[in-house]
């Protein structure tokens, strides 16, 4: 799943220009987070798909989880920027006590509508202003494609806040579009550089246990991604 402006399965190409337009207008107003709710609300009103939501769990999550599951220390999980909830539900099916949040109220409303019997705790929350009780509170944090949907000047701060959810001994599974350091970005999505991803270790104190830089063939067309497993040392 998970792209800031494109998706694997359904190829809703027209929506890419819509989200770029919404994102540009929001940034021009100095409110770069506003367009997410606008997009979900418009998608619901017009009966169109949200471009990154495949309505299925992310195969990148499933594959990475399979490699690391034996090393996950506990059962508290957090899904960052959860969209319509498929990754959160998948982790819940793996017996995690999942909290999943998104800044867009309509997205969270859709999660609750789609999964009325869910065990997931869904919450409207801003990554940059999350509940204090979430600090270092999760054994497993999953972040896919939220940071790349934010302007590059917000990436380091977003990395700081995502890292802050990881408990001692906990793991972060991270998926994002990748680019070379000097490769220009064409606008949303804003792929991350290796230097940015290194902030998880160099600035936030996590250990990198695995890192892949690969063409993700689940996307159509394939896109270059980083997929990483980080861990906070246990005390
Ligand atoms: C590109 S989508 C990715 C959704 C999902 N993680 C996936 O992989 O399909 C980014 C998601 O992050 C949410 N989001 C963006 N900024 C956020 C913030 N500051 N706090 C919480 N959620 C945010 C958006 O509403 C959107 O659902």
């Amino acid at each position: 799943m998970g792209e800031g402006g494109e998706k694997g399965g359904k190829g809703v190409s027209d929506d890419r220009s819509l989200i770029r337009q919404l994102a540009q207008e929001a940034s021009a107003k100095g409110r770069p987070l506003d367009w997410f709710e606008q997009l979900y609300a418009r998608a619901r009103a017009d009966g169109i798909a949200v471009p990154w939501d495949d309505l299925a769990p992310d195969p990148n999550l499933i594959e990475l989880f399979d490699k690391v599951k034996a090393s996950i220390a506990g059962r508290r999980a957090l899904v960052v920027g959860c969209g319509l909830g498929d990754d959160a539900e998948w982790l819940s099916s793996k017996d995690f006590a999942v909290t999943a949040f998104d800044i867009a109220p309509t997205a969270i409303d859709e999660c609750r509508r789609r999964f009325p019997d869910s065990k997931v705790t869904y919450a409207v929350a801003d990554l940059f202003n999350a509940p204090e009780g979430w600090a270092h509170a999760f054994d497993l944090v999953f972040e896919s494609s939220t940071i790349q949907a934010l302007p590059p000047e917000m990436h380091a701060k977003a990395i700081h806040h995502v890292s802050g959810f990881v408990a001692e001994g906990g793991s972060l599974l991270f998926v994002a579009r990748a680019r070379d350091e000097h490769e220009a970005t064409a606008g949303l999505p804003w792929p991350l550089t290796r230097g940015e991803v290194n902030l998880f270790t160099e600035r936030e104190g996590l250990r990198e246990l695995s890192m892949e830089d690969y063409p993700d063939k689940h996307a159509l067309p394939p896109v270059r991604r980083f997929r990483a497993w980080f861990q906070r040392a246990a005390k």
Side-chain angles (χ1 to χ4, degrees):
M1 194 165 51
E3 276 300 306
E6 61 192 302
K7 69 187 299 175
K10 304 188 186 77
V12 191
S13 56
D14 287 351
D15 290 348
R16 191 167 183 180
S17 56
L18 169 64
I19 68 172
R20 283 192 165 153
Q21 182 198 332
L22 292 174
Q24 274 166 8
E25 287 171 2
S27 283
K29 289 179 189 155
R31 301 181 59 87
L33 303 179
D34 281 7
W35 66 272
F36 296 104
E37 170 57 19
Q38 291 166 1
L39 178 68
Y40 282 108
R42 195 141 152 195
R44 177 192 268 184
D46 295 350
I48 58 171
V50 174
W52 52 74
D53 276 308
D54 288 335
L55 305 179
D58 184 348
N60 289 295
L61 167 63
I62 294 170
E63 291 166 6
L64 185 55
F65 179 83
D66 205 45
K67 288 187 203 166
V68 309
K69 61 187 176 192
S71 306
I72 306 296
R75 307 315 292 173
R76 301 165 300 172
L78 182 73
V79 179
V80 176
C82 66
L84 298 183
D86 294 276
D87 298 332
E89 293 297 323
W90 188 82
L91 283 173
S92 177
S93 78
K94 301 295 166 197
D95 290 332
F96 283 87
V98 180
T99 299
F101 75 98
D102 201 286
I103 199 168
T106 300
I108 294 302
D109 196 47
E110 282 294 302
C111 292
R112 293 181 177 135
R113 186 190 63 77
R114 294 182 66 215
F115 306 108
D117 301 322
S118 178
K119 293 181 187 159
V120 175
T121 300
Y122 287 106
V124 177
D126 180 356
L127 169 64
F128 299 104
N129 191 22
E132 282 179 17
W134 293 0
H136 292 192
F138 296 95
D139 307 301
L140 175 61
V141 175
F142 179 55
E143 152 52 14
S144 170
S145 308
T146 306
I147 297 175
Q148 72 184 41
L150 304 171
E153 61 272 19
M154 299 177 80
H155 286 184
K157 197 171 166 197
I159 286 168
H160 172 69
H161 285 275
V162 168
S163 305
F165 299 131
V166 183
E168 288 171 7
S171 286
L172 165 64
L173 305 186
F174 174 74
V175 178
R177 284 197 63 164
R179 70 178 171 94
D180 289 329
E181 299 290 337
H182 301 295
E183 190 179 335
T185 54
L188 182 74
W190 289 280
L192 276 69
T193 65
R194 187 68 166 101
E196 289 181 304
V197 177
N198 285 345
L199 293 175
F200 284 110
T201 52
E202 292 170 1
R203 197 183 288 176
E204 305 303 336
L206 302 179
R207 288 184 299 180
E208 186 182 288
L209 298 186
S210 80
M211 163 60 80
E212 298 161 84
D213 179 348
Y214 65 110
D216 177 5
K217 294 182 179 157
H218 299 298
L220 298 174
V223 298
R224 180 181 167 195
R225 286 195 212 282
F226 292 129
R227 182 166 65 176
W229 173 27
F230 297 101
Q231 200 174 57
R232 186 178 298 289
K235 284 215 172 132

